[in-house]
Amino acid sequence: AQKVTQAQTEISVVEKEDVTLDCVYETRDTTYYLFWYKQPPSGELVFLIRRNSFDEQNEISGRYSWNFQKSTSSFNFTITASQVVDSAVYFCALSEISGDMRFGAGTRLTVKP
Amino acid sequence: DVKVTQSSRYLVKRTGEKVFLECVQDMDHENMFWYRQDPGLGLRLIYFSYDVKMKEKGDIPEGYSVSREKKERFSLILESASTNQTSMYLCASSLDNTEAFFGQGTRLTVV
């Protein structure tokens, strides 16, 4: 089965700092899908992005950007100019062609004012 | 909007009881999932279903079973609840390999 590793358990930054959340994955499939989700203190999981294994283009959405590198099996997430509202637990996930989705352990980001 | 509804938000059960957690989705998704979330461990997959009556074990299926008799409903069953099954349980559904939509979660306490 696939595996997702988020080595950073907790990160604390001061507002306006940039922060990168790391995600490393393992899979034997050549076709797979990578995801990031945000879980704010309220508890609901919020979908942020989905990439397929054939699309290594980096993506930017406002202050968020994602760097997908198949060579290192990584799908890292950067928040530029962090804000207090970015404080949450962030999860990386991988879905193989069968459809089952597995998550990493999550990184708790705290942004201090 | 896709809606995934879990039958209970909070549940308290006694050790040894049989527990049913119900989940219903309203968007005709093929895939449904049950995860448990524990601090520091993230979301761990218990069972996955890709069609009616079809199921696959996840990473931690021991002590759990599932039922999917209708496409929209996916039930998680704890045959004999134990205190180490105290956790937050999350149901989700998805279409093919698109993003998963999650229910609000059921916080189960086994005493």
Side-chain angles (χ1 to χ4, degrees):
Chain A
Q2 70 270 48
K3 185 179 177 183
V4 178
T5 302
Q6 294 179 256
Q8 304 152 308
T9 307
E10 293 191 34
I11 299 176
S12 180
V13 299
V14 176
E15 209 169 19
K16 296 185 182 161
E17 280 186 40
D18 298 347
V19 58
T20 296
L21 310 182
D22 296 333
C23 173
V24 174
Y25 62 90
E26 295 173 30
T27 177
R28 292 182 180 178
D29 281 11
T30 54
T31 302
Y32 52 90
Y33 302 82
L34 293 161
F35 303 81
W36 276 95
Y37 289 82
K38 174 182 180 179
Q39 189 177 43
S42 56
E44 81 278 13
L45 276 144
V46 177
F47 164 75
L48 296 177
I49 190 171
R50 166 185 179 263
R51 301 309 298 270
N52 72 55
S53 53
F54 300 108
D55 183 3
E56 283 193 75
Q57 271 195 324
N58 291 335
E59 179 149 345
I60 298 174
S61 175
R63 295 184 297 107
Y64 294 172
S65 63
W66 291 269
N67 179 247
F68 175 28
Q69 291 195 337
K70 284 176 80 169
S71 60
T72 55
S73 298
S74 65
F75 186 44
N76 296 338
F77 172 31
T78 297
I79 302 174
T80 302
S82 59
Q83 299 176 2
V84 172
V85 293
D86 295 327
S87 296
V89 181
Y90 291 86
F91 292 99
C92 180
L94 185 149
S95 173
E96 293 180 333
I97 199 67
S98 56
D100 69 334
M101 187 180 295
R102 280 171 166 83
F103 286 73
T107 298
R108 180 177 297 279
L109 174 65
T110 302
V111 182
K112 299 178 181 176
Chain B
D1 275 356
V2 173
K3 197 167 182 185
V4 179
T5 304
Q6 295 181 228
S7 53
S8 305
R9 194 72 193 264
Y10 299 94
L11 216 48
V12 179
K13 295 292 181 181
R14 293 194 182 279
T15 301
E17 274 193 79
K18 190 168 186 176
V19 181
F20 293 86
L21 302 184
E22 306 286 348
C23 176
V24 177
Q25 51 97 1
D26 65 0
M27 281 301 290
D28 205 35
H29 285 172
E30 294 95 356
N31 300 328
M32 295 190 76
F33 311 83
W34 275 106
Y35 297 92
R36 63 177 281 177
Q37 182 175 10
D38 300 288
L41 297 177
L43 278 71
R44 292 181 292 167
L45 182 64
I46 305 172
Y47 269 98
F48 160 62
S49 170
Y50 54 91
D51 202 348
V52 175
K53 297 190 190 293
M54 306 307 288
K55 61 186 179 186
E56 296 281 345
K57 291 180 180 178
D59 294 322
I60 51 164
E62 298 79 18
Y64 303 95
S65 62
V66 290
S67 171
R68 194 165 180 202
E69 297 297 318
K70 292 185 178 180
K71 193 174 186 179
E72 67 271 18
R73 187 178 297 268
F74 192 35
S75 304
L76 180 69
I77 303 150
L78 287 68
E79 295 292 340
S80 177
S82 64
T83 54
N84 63 13
Q85 292 178 309
T86 291
S87 187
M88 172 67 84
Y89 290 87
L90 292 167
C91 175
S93 72
S94 75
L95 184 65
D96 293 330
N97 283 292
T98 59
E99 73 268 24
F101 292 84
F102 284 83
Q104 77 276 31
T106 297
R107 185 164 294 282
L108 172 67
T109 302
V110 183
V111 297

